[in-house]
Coordinates of all heavy atoms in Angstrom, one line a residue:
M130 N 190.8 190.5 75.9 CA 190.5 189.2 75.2 C 189.7 188.4 76.2 O 189.9 188.1 77.3 CB 191.9 188.5 75.0 CG 191.8 187.2 74.4 SD 193.4 186.5 73.9 CE 193.4 185.0 75.0
V131 N 188.5 188.0 75.6 CA 187.5 187.2 76.2 C 187.9 185.7 76.1 O 188.0 185.2 74.9 CB 186.1 187.4 75.9 CG1 185.1 186.5 76.5 CG2 185.7 188.9 76.0
K132 N 188.1 185.0 77.2 CA 188.5 183.5 77.1 C 187.2 182.7 77.1 O 186.1 183.0 77.7 CB 189.3 183.1 78.3 CG 190.6 183.6 78.3 CD 191.5 183.1 79.3 CE 192.9 183.6 79.4 NZ 193.7 183.0 80.4
E133 N 187.2 181.8 76.2 CA 186.0 180.8 76.0 C 186.2 179.7 77.0 O 187.3 179.3 77.4 CB 186.0 180.3 74.6 CG 185.7 181.4 73.5 CD 184.3 182.0 73.7 OE1 183.4 181.3 74.0 OE2 184.2 183.3 73.6
P134 N 184.9 179.1 77.4 CA 185.1 177.8 78.3 C 185.9 176.8 77.6 O 185.9 176.7 76.3 CB 183.6 177.4 78.4 CG 182.9 178.7 78.2 CD 183.6 179.5 77.2
Q135 N 186.5 175.9 78.4 CA 187.3 174.8 77.9 C 186.4 173.8 77.1 O 186.8 173.3 76.1 CB 188.0 174.1 79.0 CG 189.2 174.8 79.5 CD 190.1 173.9 80.4 OE1 189.7 172.8 80.7 NE2 191.1 174.4 80.9
S136 N 185.2 173.6 77.6 CA 184.3 172.7 76.9 C 182.9 173.1 77.4 O 182.6 173.8 78.3 CB 184.6 171.3 77.2 OG 184.3 171.1 78.6
E137 N 181.9 172.4 76.8 CA 180.5 172.6 77.2 C 180.3 172.1 78.6 O 179.6 172.6 79.4 CB 179.6 171.9 76.3 CG 178.1 172.0 76.7 CD 177.6 173.4 76.7 OE1 178.1 174.3 76.0 OE2 176.6 173.6 77.5
A138 N 181.0 171.0 78.9 CA 181.0 170.4 80.3 C 181.6 171.3 81.3 O 180.9 171.5 82.4 CB 181.8 169.1 80.3
T139 N 182.7 172.0 81.1 CA 183.3 172.9 82.0 C 182.3 174.2 82.1 O 182.2 174.7 83.3 CB 184.7 173.3 81.7 OG1 184.7 174.0 80.5 CG2 185.6 172.2 81.7
R140 N 181.7 174.5 81.1 CA 180.8 175.8 81.1 C 179.7 175.3 82.0 O 179.2 176.1 82.9 CB 180.4 176.1 79.8 CG 179.4 177.5 79.8 CD 178.7 177.5 78.5 NE 177.7 176.6 78.4 CZ 176.5 176.4 79.0 NH1 176.3 177.3 80.0 NH2 175.7 175.5 78.8
E141 N 178.9 174.2 81.8 CA 177.9 173.8 82.5 C 178.2 173.6 84.0 O 177.3 173.9 84.9 CB 177.2 172.5 82.0 CG 176.0 172.0 82.7 CD 174.9 173.0 82.7 OE1 174.7 173.8 81.9 OE2 174.1 172.8 83.8
L142 N 179.3 173.0 84.3 CA 179.7 172.8 85.7 C 179.7 174.1 86.4 O 179.3 174.4 87.5 CB 181.0 172.2 85.9 CG 181.6 172.0 87.3 CD1 180.7 171.2 88.1 CD2 183.0 171.4 87.2
G143 N 180.3 175.2 85.8 CA 180.4 176.6 86.2 C 179.1 177.2 86.5 O 178.8 177.7 87.6
V144 N 178.2 176.9 85.7 CA 176.8 177.4 85.8 C 176.2 176.7 87.0 O 175.5 177.5 87.8 CB 175.9 177.1 84.5 CG1 174.4 177.3 84.8 CG2 176.4 178.1 83.4
R145 N 176.3 175.5 87.1 CA 175.8 174.8 88.3 C 176.3 175.3 89.6 O 175.6 175.4 90.6 CB 176.0 173.2 88.2 CG 175.2 172.7 87.1 CD 175.5 171.2 86.9 NE 174.8 170.6 85.6 CZ 174.7 169.4 85.3 NH1 175.3 168.5 86.1 NH2 174.1 169.0 84.2
V146 N 177.6 175.4 89.7 CA 178.2 176.0 90.9 C 177.6 177.3 91.3 O 177.2 177.6 92.4 CB 179.8 176.0 90.7 CG1 180.4 176.8 91.9 CG2 180.3 174.6 90.7
R147 N 177.6 178.2 90.3 CA 177.0 179.5 90.5 C 175.5 179.5 90.9 O 175.2 180.1 92.0 CB 177.1 180.5 89.3 CG 176.6 181.8 89.5 CD 176.8 182.8 88.3 NE 178.2 182.8 87.8 CZ 178.6 182.3 86.6 NH1 177.8 181.7 85.7 NH2 179.8 182.4 86.3
K148 N 174.7 178.6 90.3 CA 173.3 178.5 90.7 C 173.2 177.9 92.1 O 172.1 178.2 92.8 CB 172.6 177.7 89.8 CG 172.3 178.4 88.3 CD 171.6 177.6 87.4 CE 171.1 178.4 86.2 NZ 170.3 177.6 85.3
L149 N 174.1 177.1 92.5 CA 174.0 176.7 93.9 C 174.5 177.7 94.9 O 174.1 177.7 96.1 CB 174.8 175.3 94.0 CG 174.2 174.2 93.3 CD1 175.1 173.0 93.2 CD2 172.9 173.7 94.1
R150 N 175.6 178.5 94.5 CA 176.2 179.4 95.4 C 175.4 180.6 95.7 O 175.2 180.9 96.9 CB 177.6 179.8 94.9 CG 178.3 180.8 95.7 CD 179.5 181.3 95.1 NE 179.4 181.8 93.7 CZ 179.0 183.1 93.4 NH1 178.7 183.9 94.3 NH2 179.0 183.5 92.1
E151 N 174.8 181.2 94.7 CA 174.1 182.5 94.8 C 172.8 182.4 95.8 O 172.8 183.2 96.6 CB 173.7 183.0 93.5 CG 174.9 183.5 92.7 CD 174.7 184.0 91.3 OE1 173.6 183.7 90.8 OE2 175.6 184.8 90.8
P152 N 172.0 181.4 95.6 CA 170.8 181.3 96.6 C 171.3 181.2 98.0 O 170.5 181.5 99.0 CB 170.1 180.1 96.1 CG 170.6 179.8 94.8 CD 171.9 180.3 94.7
Q153 N 172.5 180.7 98.3 CA 173.0 180.6 99.6 C 173.5 181.9 100.2 O 173.8 182.0 101.4 CB 174.1 179.5 99.7 CG 173.6 178.1 99.4 CD 174.7 177.1 99.7 OE1 175.5 177.2 100.5 NE2 174.7 176.1 98.8
G154 N 173.6 182.9 99.3 CA 174.0 184.2 99.7 C 175.5 184.3 99.9 O 175.8 185.1 100.8
I155 N 176.2 183.4 99.3 CA 177.7 183.4 99.6 C 178.4 183.8 98.3 O 178.0 183.5 97.2 CB 178.3 182.1 100.1 CG1 178.0 181.0 99.1 CG2 177.7 181.7 101.4 CD1 178.7 179.6 99.5
G156 N 179.3 184.6 98.5 CA 180.2 185.1 97.3 C 181.3 184.1 97.1 O 181.5 183.1 97.7
Q157 N 182.0 184.4 95.9 CA 183.1 183.6 95.5 C 184.2 183.4 96.5 O 184.7 182.3 96.7 CB 183.7 184.1 94.2 CG 182.7 184.0 93.0 CD 183.3 184.4 91.7 OE1 184.3 185.3 91.8 NE2 182.8 184.1 90.6
E158 N 184.4 184.4 97.3 CA 185.5 184.3 98.3 C 185.1 183.4 99.4 O 186.0 182.7 99.9 CB 185.9 185.7 98.8 CG 186.6 186.6 97.8 CD 187.0 187.9 98.4 OE1 186.6 188.3 99.5 OE2 187.5 188.6 97.6
E159 N 183.8 183.4 99.9 CA 183.4 182.6 100.9 C 183.3 181.0 100.4 O 183.7 180.2 101.2 CB 181.9 182.9 101.4 CG 181.4 182.1 102.4 CD 182.1 181.9 103.7 OE1 183.0 182.8 104.0 OE2 181.9 180.9 104.4
L160 N 182.9 180.8 99.2 CA 183.0 179.5 98.7 C 184.4 179.0 98.6 O 184.6 177.9 99.0 CB 182.2 179.4 97.3 CG 182.4 178.0 96.6 CD1 181.7 177.0 97.5 CD2 181.7 178.1 95.3
A161 N 185.2 179.9 98.2 CA 186.7 179.5 98.1 C 187.3 179.1 99.6 O 188.0 178.1 99.7 CB 187.5 180.7 97.6
R162 N 186.9 179.9 100.6 CA 187.3 179.6 101.9 C 186.7 178.2 102.3 O 187.4 177.4 102.9 CB 186.7 180.7 103.0 CG 187.3 180.5 104.3 CD 186.6 181.4 105.3 NE 185.1 181.1 105.5 CZ 184.7 180.0 106.2 NH1 185.6 179.1 106.6 NH2 183.4 179.7 106.2
R163 N 185.4 178.0 102.0 CA 184.7 176.7 102.5 C 185.4 175.6 101.8 O 185.5 174.4 102.3 CB 183.2 176.8 102.2 CG 182.5 177.8 103.0 CD 181.1 177.7 102.6 NE 180.2 178.6 103.4 CZ 178.9 178.7 103.3 NH1 178.2 177.8 102.5 NH2 178.2 179.6 104.0
A164 N 185.8 175.7 100.4 CA 186.3 174.6 99.6 C 187.9 174.6 99.8 O 188.4 173.6 99.3 CB 186.0 174.9 98.2
G165 N 188.5 175.6 100.5 CA 189.9 175.4 100.6 C 190.7 175.7 99.4 O 191.8 175.2 99.2
V166 N 190.2 176.6 98.5 CA 190.8 177.0 97.3 C 190.9 178.5 97.2 O 190.4 179.2 98.1 CB 190.2 176.4 96.0 CG1 190.0 175.0 96.0 CG2 188.7 177.1 95.9
H167 N 191.7 179.0 96.2 CA 191.8 180.5 96.1 C 190.6 181.0 95.4 O 190.0 180.3 94.6 CB 193.0 180.7 95.3 CG 193.6 182.2 95.3 ND1 193.0 183.2 94.5 CD2 194.3 182.8 96.1 CE1 193.5 184.4 94.8 NE2 194.3 184.2 95.7
W168 N 190.2 182.2 95.7 CA 188.9 182.7 95.1 C 189.1 182.9 93.5 O 188.0 182.7 92.9 CB 188.6 184.1 95.7 CG 189.4 185.3 95.3 CD1 190.5 185.7 96.0 CD2 189.3 186.1 94.1 NE1 191.1 186.7 95.3 CE2 190.4 187.0 94.2 CE3 188.4 186.1 93.1 CZ2 190.5 187.9 93.2 CZ3 188.6 187.0 92.1 CH2 189.6 188.0 92.1
T169 N 190.3 183.0 93.1 CA 190.3 183.0 91.6 C 190.0 181.8 90.9 O 189.5 181.7 89.7 CB 191.7 183.6 91.1 OG1 192.7 182.7 91.6 CG2 192.1 185.0 91.5
F170 N 190.2 180.7 91.6 CA 189.9 179.3 91.1 C 188.3 179.2 91.1 O 187.8 178.7 90.0 CB 190.3 178.3 92.1 CG 190.3 176.8 91.6 CD1 191.1 175.9 92.1 CD2 189.4 176.4 90.7 CE1 191.1 174.6 91.7 CE2 189.3 175.1 90.2 CZ 190.2 174.2 90.8
V171 N 187.6 179.8 92.0 CA 186.2 179.9 92.0 C 185.6 180.6 90.8 O 184.8 180.1 89.9 CB 185.5 180.3 93.2 CG1 184.0 180.4 93.0 CG2 185.9 179.5 94.4
S172 N 186.2 181.8 90.5 CA 185.9 182.6 89.3 C 186.1 181.9 88.1 O 185.3 181.9 87.1 CB 186.7 183.9 89.4 OG 186.5 184.7 88.2
Q173 N 187.3 181.3 88.0 CA 187.6 180.6 86.7 C 186.7 179.3 86.4 O 186.3 179.0 85.4 CB 189.1 180.1 86.7 CG 190.1 181.3 86.6 CD 191.5 180.8 87.0 OE1 191.8 179.8 87.5 NE2 192.4 181.7 86.5
L174 N 186.5 178.6 87.6 CA 185.5 177.5 87.5 C 184.1 177.9 87.0 O 183.5 177.3 86.1 CB 185.4 176.9 88.8 CG 184.4 175.7 88.9 CD1 184.8 174.5 88.2 CD2 184.0 175.3 90.4
E175 N 183.6 178.9 87.6 CA 182.3 179.4 87.2 C 182.2 179.9 85.8 O 181.1 180.0 85.2 CB 181.8 180.6 88.2 CG 181.5 180.0 89.6 CD 180.8 180.9 90.5 OE1 180.7 182.3 90.1 OE2 180.4 180.6 91.6
R176 N 183.4 180.3 85.2 CA 183.4 180.8 83.8 C 183.7 179.6 82.8 O 183.9 179.9 81.7 CB 184.3 181.9 83.7 CG 183.8 183.2 84.3 CD 184.9 184.4 84.1 NE 186.0 184.2 85.0 CZ 187.2 184.4 84.6 NH1 187.4 185.0 83.5 NH2 188.2 184.2 85.4
G177 N 183.9 178.5 83.4 CA 184.2 177.3 82.5 C 185.6 177.3 82.1 O 185.9 176.5 81.2
L178 N 186.5 178.0 82.7 CA 187.9 178.0 82.2 C 188.8 177.1 82.9 O 190.0 176.9 82.6 CB 188.4 179.5 82.5 CG 187.7 180.6 81.9 CD1 188.3 182.0 82.3 CD2 187.7 180.4 80.4
R179 N 188.2 176.4 84.0 CA 189.1 175.3 84.6 C 188.5 173.9 84.5 O 187.2 173.7 84.6 CB 189.1 175.7 86.2 CG 189.9 177.0 86.5 CD 191.5 176.8 86.2 NE 192.1 175.8 87.0 CZ 192.8 176.1 88.1 NH1 192.9 177.4 88.6 NH2 193.5 175.1 88.8
N180 N 189.3 173.0 84.3 CA 188.8 171.6 84.3 C 189.3 171.0 85.6 O 190.5 170.8 85.9 CB 189.5 170.8 83.2 CG 189.0 169.4 83.1 OD1 188.0 169.0 83.7 ND2 189.8 168.6 82.3
V181 N 188.3 170.8 86.6 CA 188.8 170.5 88.0 C 189.1 169.1 88.1 O 188.5 168.2 87.5 CB 187.6 171.0 88.9 CG1 187.4 172.4 88.9 CG2 186.4 170.1 88.7
S182 N 189.9 168.9 89.1 CA 190.2 167.4 89.4 C 189.2 166.8 90.4 O 188.4 167.6 90.9 CB 191.6 167.3 90.3 OG 191.4 168.0 91.6
L183 N 189.1 165.5 90.5 CA 188.2 164.9 91.5 C 188.2 165.5 92.8 O 187.2 165.8 93.4 CB 188.4 163.5 91.4 CG 187.6 162.6 92.5 CD1 186.1 162.7 92.1 CD2 188.0 161.1 92.5
H184 N 189.5 165.7 93.3 CA 189.6 166.2 94.8 C 188.9 167.6 94.8 O 188.3 167.9 95.8 CB 191.0 166.3 95.1 CG 191.6 164.9 95.3 ND1 193.0 164.5 95.0 CD2 191.0 163.7 95.7 CE1 193.2 163.3 95.3 NE2 192.0 162.8 95.7
N185 N 189.3 168.5 93.9 CA 188.6 169.8 93.9 C 187.1 169.7 93.7 O 186.4 170.5 94.3 CB 189.2 170.7 92.9 CG 190.6 171.2 93.4 OD1 190.9 171.3 94.5 ND2 191.6 171.4 92.4
L186 N 186.7 168.9 92.8 CA 185.2 168.7 92.7 C 184.6 168.3 94.0 O 183.5 168.9 94.4 CB 184.8 167.6 91.7 CG 183.4 167.4 91.3 CD1 182.8 168.6 90.5 CD2 183.1 166.1 90.7
L187 N 185.3 167.5 94.8 CA 184.7 167.1 96.0 C 184.7 168.1 97.1 O 183.8 168.4 98.0 CB 185.5 165.9 96.5 CG 185.4 164.6 95.8 CD1 186.4 163.5 96.3 CD2 183.9 164.1 95.8
K188 N 185.8 169.1 97.0 CA 185.8 170.2 97.8 C 184.7 171.2 97.6 O 184.2 171.8 98.5 CB 187.3 170.9 97.6 CG 188.3 170.2 98.3 CD 189.6 171.0 97.9 CE 190.9 170.3 98.4 NZ 192.1 171.1 98.2
F189 N 184.5 171.4 96.3 CA 183.4 172.3 96.0 C 182.0 171.9 96.3 O 181.3 172.7 97.0 CB 183.4 172.7 94.3 CG 184.4 173.7 94.0 CD1 185.5 173.3 93.4 CD2 184.2 175.0 94.3 CE1 186.5 174.2 92.9 CE2 185.2 175.9 94.0 CZ 186.3 175.5 93.3
A190 N 181.8 170.6 96.2 CA 180.6 170.0 96.7 C 180.5 170.1 98.2 O 179.4 170.5 98.7 CB 180.5 168.5 96.2
A191 N 181.5 169.8 98.9 CA 181.3 170.1 100.4 C 181.2 171.6 100.7 O 180.4 171.8 101.6 CB 182.7 169.5 100.9
G192 N 181.9 172.3 99.9 CA 181.6 173.9 100.3 C 180.3 174.4 100.0 O 179.8 175.3 100.6
L193 N 179.6 173.7 99.0 CA 178.3 174.1 98.8 C 177.2 173.3 99.5 O 176.1 173.6 99.5 CB 178.0 173.8 97.2 CG 178.8 174.8 96.3 CD1 178.7 174.3 94.8 CD2 178.1 176.2 96.4
G194 N 177.7 172.2 100.2 CA 176.7 171.4 101.0 C 175.9 170.4 100.2 O 174.7 170.3 100.4
V195 N 176.5 170.0 99.0 CA 175.7 169.2 98.1 C 176.4 167.9 97.8 O 177.6 167.8 98.0 CB 175.4 169.9 96.7 CG1 174.6 171.2 97.0 CG2 176.6 170.2 96.0
D196 N 175.7 166.9 97.3 CA 176.3 165.8 96.9 C 177.1 166.0 95.5 O 176.6 166.7 94.7 CB 175.1 164.7 96.5 CG 175.7 163.3 96.1 OD1 176.5 163.2 95.3 OD2 175.3 162.4 96.8
P197 N 178.3 165.5 95.4 CA 179.1 165.8 94.2 C 178.4 165.4 92.9 O 178.6 166.1 91.9 CB 180.3 164.9 94.4 CG 180.5 164.7 95.9 CD 179.0 164.7 96.4
A198 N 177.5 164.4 93.0 CA 176.8 164.0 91.7 C 175.9 165.1 91.2 O 175.7 165.2 90.0 CB 175.8 162.8 92.1
E199 N 175.4 166.0 92.1 CA 174.6 167.1 91.7 C 175.3 168.0 90.7 O 174.7 168.7 89.9 CB 174.1 167.9 92.9 CG 173.0 168.8 92.6 CD 172.4 169.4 93.8 OE1 172.5 168.9 94.9 OE2 171.8 170.5 93.8
L200 N 176.6 168.0 90.9 CA 177.5 169.0 90.0 C 177.8 168.4 88.7 O 178.0 169.2 87.7 CB 178.8 169.3 90.8 CG 178.7 170.1 92.0 CD1 180.2 170.2 92.7 CD2 178.1 171.4 91.9
V201 N 177.8 167.0 88.6 CA 178.2 166.5 87.4 C 177.2 165.6 86.6 O 177.5 165.2 85.5 CB 179.6 165.6 87.5 CG1 180.6 166.4 88.0 CG2 179.2 164.4 88.5
R202 N 176.0 165.4 87.2 CA 175.0 164.5 86.6 C 174.7 165.0 85.2 O 174.3 166.1 85.0 CB 173.8 164.5 87.6 CG 172.7 163.6 87.0 CD 171.6 163.4 88.0 NE 172.1 162.7 89.2 CZ 172.0 163.3 90.4 NH1 171.7 164.5 90.6 NH2 172.4 162.6 91.5
G203 N 174.8 164.0 84.3 CA 174.3 164.3 82.9 C 175.4 165.1 82.1 O 175.1 165.3 80.8
L204 N 176.5 165.4 82.6 CA 177.6 166.1 81.8 C 178.2 165.2 80.8 O 178.4 164.0 81.2 CB 178.6 166.7 82.7 CG 178.3 167.8 83.6 CD1 179.5 168.3 84.4 CD2 177.6 169.0 82.8
K205 N 178.4 165.6 79.6 CA 179.1 164.8 78.6 C 180.4 165.2 78.3 O 180.9 166.3 78.4 CB 178.3 165.0 77.2 CG 176.8 164.7 77.4 CD 176.4 163.2 77.5 CE 175.0 163.0 77.5 NZ 174.5 162.1 78.5
P206 N 181.3 164.2 78.1 CA 182.8 164.6 77.8 C 182.9 165.3 76.4 O 182.0 165.2 75.6 CB 183.5 163.1 77.7 CG 182.4 162.2 77.4 CD 181.1 162.7 78.0
P207 N 183.9 166.1 76.3 CA 184.0 166.8 75.1 C 184.3 165.9 74.0 O 184.9 164.8 74.2 CB 185.2 167.7 75.4 CG 185.9 167.2 76.5 CD 184.9 166.4 77.3
E208 N 183.8 166.3 72.7 CA 184.2 165.4 71.6 C 185.5 165.8 71.0 O 185.8 167.0 70.9 CB 183.1 165.6 70.6 CG 181.8 165.0 70.9 CD 180.7 165.3 70.0 OE1 181.0 165.6 68.7 OE2 179.5 165.1 70.3
D209 N 186.3 164.9 70.7 CA 187.7 165.1 70.2 C 187.7 165.4 68.7 O 186.9 165.0 67.9 CB 188.6 164.1 70.5 CG 189.0 164.1 72.0 OD1 188.8 165.2 72.7 OD2 189.3 163.0 72.6

């Protein structure tokens, strides 16, 4: 069973994280270590399956060495 992203925003956040991680030559496990999370969290985030808290968003930004705004700029909330 293939799981779908929680929303367009979570999908796009995952795409952004992957696009920032890969050029740095770091894998999901290394990003997880840098961010202080489990590697499965990184995998789920990159597939849009996790809606991250503010604290985890800040951890990912720090692990990637970017301003947190770079991860969320322009994202729209899901329509109910």
Side-chain angles (χ1 to χ4, degrees):
M130 180 171 115
V131 176
K132 292 186 177 182
E133 294 295 320
Q135 286 191 357
S136 69
E137 180 59 27
T139 61
R140 186 198 65 74
E141 178 60 27
L142 176 61
V144 167
R145 291 177 186 187
V146 168
R147 185 179 301 115
K148 283 184 176 181
L149 289 165
R150 176 181 60 78
E151 289 177 340
Q153 294 183 40
I155 61 173
Q157 290 180 341
E158 290 181 355
E159 176 59 18
L160 176 55
R162 186 192 67 72
R163 292 180 183 187
V166 300
H167 195 271
W168 72 267
T169 58
F170 192 156
V171 177
S172 174
Q173 292 169 341
L174 173 71
E175 288 188 357
R176 291 181 288 142
L178 303 178
R179 293 293 293 261
N180 185 14
V181 299
S182 70
L183 173 62
H184 293 149
N185 284 327
L186 183 73
L187 296 173
K188 288 179 181 183
F189 279 107
L193 292 164
V195 299
D196 186 304
E199 192 170 340
L200 298 177
V201 298
R202 185 173 291 114
L204 295 181
K205 305 289 184 221
E208 295 180 14
D209 291 332

